[in-house]
Structure formats: structure tokens, C-alpha cells
Amino acid sequence: MTRALLTFRALLAPLPSEDFMSEHLGQAPAFVGGDGSKSSELFDWEDARIFLNNSKLWSSETLKITEAGENVPPQQYCFQGTNRSLRSILRPDPISVLERIRRGALLTLGSMESATPHLTRLTAALSSALGGVGTARISCSGPSELANLVDFDVGDAFHLQLDGTTSWVLYEERAVMGGDTVPNETVGELEMKAGDVLYLPAGQYYRTAAGGGSAMWLTIIIVRPAGFDIVPLIHECLKDIPIFRADLPFFDNTVKHKRHLEALADALRRMV
């Protein structure tokens, strides 16, 4: 029997979504233990093999491999192909990719938010609940140790363990736009098993590894809109206001120029 599609509330259960919104969203990590039922039917190793074998779905931009925290050059696991515009492109070789995973590499499948009906529904549910734009990726790893490279996500991140176990180290510091924050202080370590969910606020630094076996986890990133995101909309609306289409007075006429700028500011305030 096909299980019902996973919702925002079901993903966080037994943590009430109201508590999550007031105590964790954008503020603090949240760990929710699971029994594996949350991850069933979302995505598994057989799905990964099917998707990998369809090489036309992938390029060196949407499928990436890292080993010991270092990116593997696409030329080492891709072959030369062409895209729909008949331009040359690197396509991943599924045999090479799976062999690298068996040896402990980390495979990242990007742009997975519409790969299956379950992933589409879950990404849409999180996007709707948080009022942002959602993207999803699948991480597949062979046996590995914690990478020296510390990572973070630009939006609110929901990590759902699909198979195996992973070890996570969380840091106090967060990445900020235009900043050069260095993560130093560890605030928590945990192990994720199938069905577990880990929420991390945007910019939260972390490290992860699959340990002694293979593992797979889903990450959904929600980027919520900021103030500057509405600037293009404001720009378009200003074109409908006559004073914004009028020529600016000459700069050497300081009085007239100042009055015109004040009129522009008043019109902008009324519009916003």
C-alpha cells in the first residue's frame, strides 16, 4: 500500500510545528528522532541507480563527487557528451560514480526537488510553510570519516536520513553574507539514523560523515525572501508613477534638484 505523501507537520512530528516556528526557525538547531517511516518511499539506493543510469539527467554541475572533503575533478568520473543545444558537456559515468561511492566518496545529486512525487510534495510543503523557495539534494556516501572541510547551507536546511547512519558535528558560528567567520566552537555532536530529521538555521556550520557503512540522506534548503528581494518589484512599479519617468533637474540648480528628490521620496513612501 502506498504511503501518504509527507507533509511539513509530519516531517517534524512529534515536535509540534508551532514550537518549531517559535523556538527553532532561524534561531537554533532541532533534532527529531524517527523510526524510518518518514524516509520510506522518498528515495533509496535503487532510485539512485536508476537516476544515475540516465546520464542525460546529469552534468558535472548537477552531480558532484568529493573525497576526504576535496572535490574530485569531473574529468575523473565523466565522459564527453552533448546537451540539448548540441554543446559539449561532461556527463557522469554511473559505473565510475558507484565505484567511487563504494570506496568512500560522497556523491551529491542536485536539483532533486522535482525528481519524484514524494520529493516534489515535501519540498513544496516546506516552501509553503516557511514562505520561501525550496531546493533539494540527495547525498550518497560510502564509508568515510569526518571531513576536514566545514560546510554550511545558505538557507534553512532540513536533513532527513534515508538510509544508514551519519555522524554530525555542529558549530556555534554561522556564515554571514560578506563575512569571514571561522567556525571554532563545537556545540554538539550527534548520530543520525534512518528517519531522523535535523534542522539547521541558515549559515550554521557543520561537518558530517557516513562512518563505517554506506549512507544516504536528503537535504531540503528553503531560502526565505529578504528585503532586497522586493527591490526588482518596486523598480517595476516605479515605472507607472509619472514623477519617476520625468527628467531629473540639472544638478547645478540645487533648490529645484532637492525638491525633486523629496518629491521622489514622498512618491516612493506612498507606493511602498
Side-chain angles (χ1 to χ4, degrees), residues 33-247:
D35 58 4
S37 62
K38 292 181 182 179
S39 58
S40 64
E41 298 188 32
L42 273 175
F43 203 84
D44 57 24
W45 287 102
E46 182 59 28
D47 293 321
R49 292 185 183 91
I50 292 173
F51 274 80
L52 281 173
N53 283 322
N54 190 348
S55 60
K56 293 183 178 180
L57 292 175
W58 307 106
S59 70
S60 57
E61 296 298 318
T62 56
L63 185 154
K64 297 182 181 297
I65 293 180
T66 58
E67 293 178 348
E70 299 292 335
N71 290 326
V72 177
Q75 293 80 1
Q76 295 186 17
Y77 61 89
C78 292
F79 60 87
Q80 203 71 36
T82 55
N83 61 14
R84 293 180 178 179
S85 301
L86 300 181
R87 294 182 178 178
S88 179
I89 189 173
L90 290 174
R91 300 281 192 193
D93 176 7
I95 296 177
S96 176
V97 170
L98 291 173
E99 178 58 31
R100 286 182 176 274
I101 294 176
R102 281 191 288 269
R103 299 203 306 261
L106 171 64
L107 165 68
T108 302
L109 302 174
S111 302
M112 295 295 288
E113 54 273 9
S114 59
T116 70
H118 289 278
L119 291 176
T120 300
R121 169 63 184 272
L122 181 57
T123 304
L126 294 178
S127 300
S128 177
L130 302 188
V133 177
T135 57
R137 67 174 184 261
I138 299 287
S139 300
C140 309
S141 176
S144 61
E145 298 180 354
L146 282 169
N148 293 324
L149 180 65
V150 181
D151 206 353
F152 69 90
D153 293 298
V154 297
D156 295 289
F158 296 82
H159 305 278
L160 172 60
Q161 193 74 27
L162 300 175
D163 182 63
T165 60
T166 50
S167 300
W168 295 70
V169 175
L170 309 183
Y171 290 85
E172 174 70 27
E173 297 83 5
R174 293 193 205 172
V176 295
M177 185 178 294
D180 54 357
T181 305
V182 178
N184 290 313
E185 186 175 349
T186 301
V187 293
E189 299 182 16
L190 67 151
E191 184 177 87
M192 298 265 288
K193 64 181 187 303
D196 290 347
V197 178
L198 174 64
Y199 162 77
L200 296 178
Q204 179 92 50
Y205 284 109
Y206 64 88
R207 290 192 294 155
T208 186
S214 60
M216 178 184 292
W217 63 98
L218 163 69
T219 300
I220 296 180
I221 309 297
I222 306 297
V223 178
R224 290 179 283 154
F228 59 76
D229 290 317
I230 66 172
V231 172
L233 177 60
I234 294 175
H235 178 264
E236 288 300 315
C237 293
L238 293 180
K239 297 177 181 179
D240 295 329
I241 302 176
I243 192 171
F244 279 93
R245 299 196 302 270
D247 295 335

